Amino acid sequence: MTDEPLVLGIETSCDETGVGIVRGHTLLADAVASSVEEHARFGGVVPEVASRAHLEAMVPTLERAADTAGIALSDIDAVAVTSGPGLAGALLVGVASAKALALGLGKPIYGVNHLAAHVAVDQLEHGPLPEPCLAMLVSGGHSSLLEVTDVTVGVEPMGSTIDDAAGEAFDKVARLLGLPFPGGPHIDREARSGNSVAIDFPRGLTSRRDLERHRFDFSFSGLKTAVARWVEAQQRAGATIDVADVAASFQEAVCDVLTRKAIDAATSRGIEDILIGGGVAANSRLRAMAEERATARGIRVRVPRPGLCTDNGAMVAALGAELVSRGRTPSLLDLPADSSQPITTVVA
């Protein structure tokens, strides 16, 4: 095996079928088949629909990735796959596919944690991770603050969401405003022409009392409800709702809390680097606010390009390559799919 392992990664935790191929820290292929349009009419991801879509897309996506990378599948050194957390049925498709591939090729398999993969993917763009670093992962299912000392073994949770994740709140508020699913990109787009201080929406878990118990935790359920009540009040009064102002004010509240808590967490541990990952990391306001506030505190910020923030196979391959490079023990072939796999378990 070379110093830079050739690893194929499979990601099926939600509604994207992702297959990535990396050599060390170099991305060779990132093939994604999304079923988002099949879920749009339901206003959210339907697990059974996602699982069926993964089944149909798996082989074509594998072939497309291999063709793009210019390799034969037999060339790879290892297979990595998201084993959790995520939707149980969707994860099963990916794990079963990875097992078949690993068994057929006689290669080791690594069942990896979805959240740790979101951290590792930044290496494909910005090189080795600073150790330690503070990772803020924000997506439709997760809002987490993690202290990362070694992405292959040492990931310590510092805070998480106690109700709605940030991405989930974006989707629900977008639906209230009549915007399409998924809501994040549409809220971001509308907000650019809106006034971010037009409406004073609440900042969850930021009062002195809350900070004593939930200093690094997040809550966006109350914010979502506040937006709904404001919209309903305007409708009862017969007033016109300025979608751009609502979107901008809501987005500002989310980004304010996320960045404030991330910087507080980093400062409390003496960490000088913050990495932002997950689908919401593609939000333009979050990127700008994090950069501005972190720079003022002497903290560096790393954010992958938007295409690597959303779920993809490249992030799984990136973590797999790091595991191989550091000589970590592979998973067994009876590897389970674990929908609630804890972040402390990087390799199942």
Side-chain angles (χ1 to χ4, degrees), residues 20-56:
I21 299 173
V22 306
R23 187 182 293 282
H25 293 165
T26 303
L27 178 61
L28 304 181
D30 182 21
V32 178
S34 177
S35 61
V36 65
E37 292 184 4
E38 298 176 47
H39 303 282
R41 63 193 178 101
F42 301 106
V45 177
V46 180
E48 293 82 0
V49 173
S51 300
R52 174 62 63 181
H54 289 311
L55 279 170
E56 295 173 351

Side-chain angles (χ1 to χ4, degrees), residues 310-328:
T310 51
D311 294 348
N312 59 80
M315 69 187 203
V316 180
L319 180 52
E322 195 66 21
L323 289 162
V324 175
S325 294
R326 298 199 186 200
R328 305 304 181 211

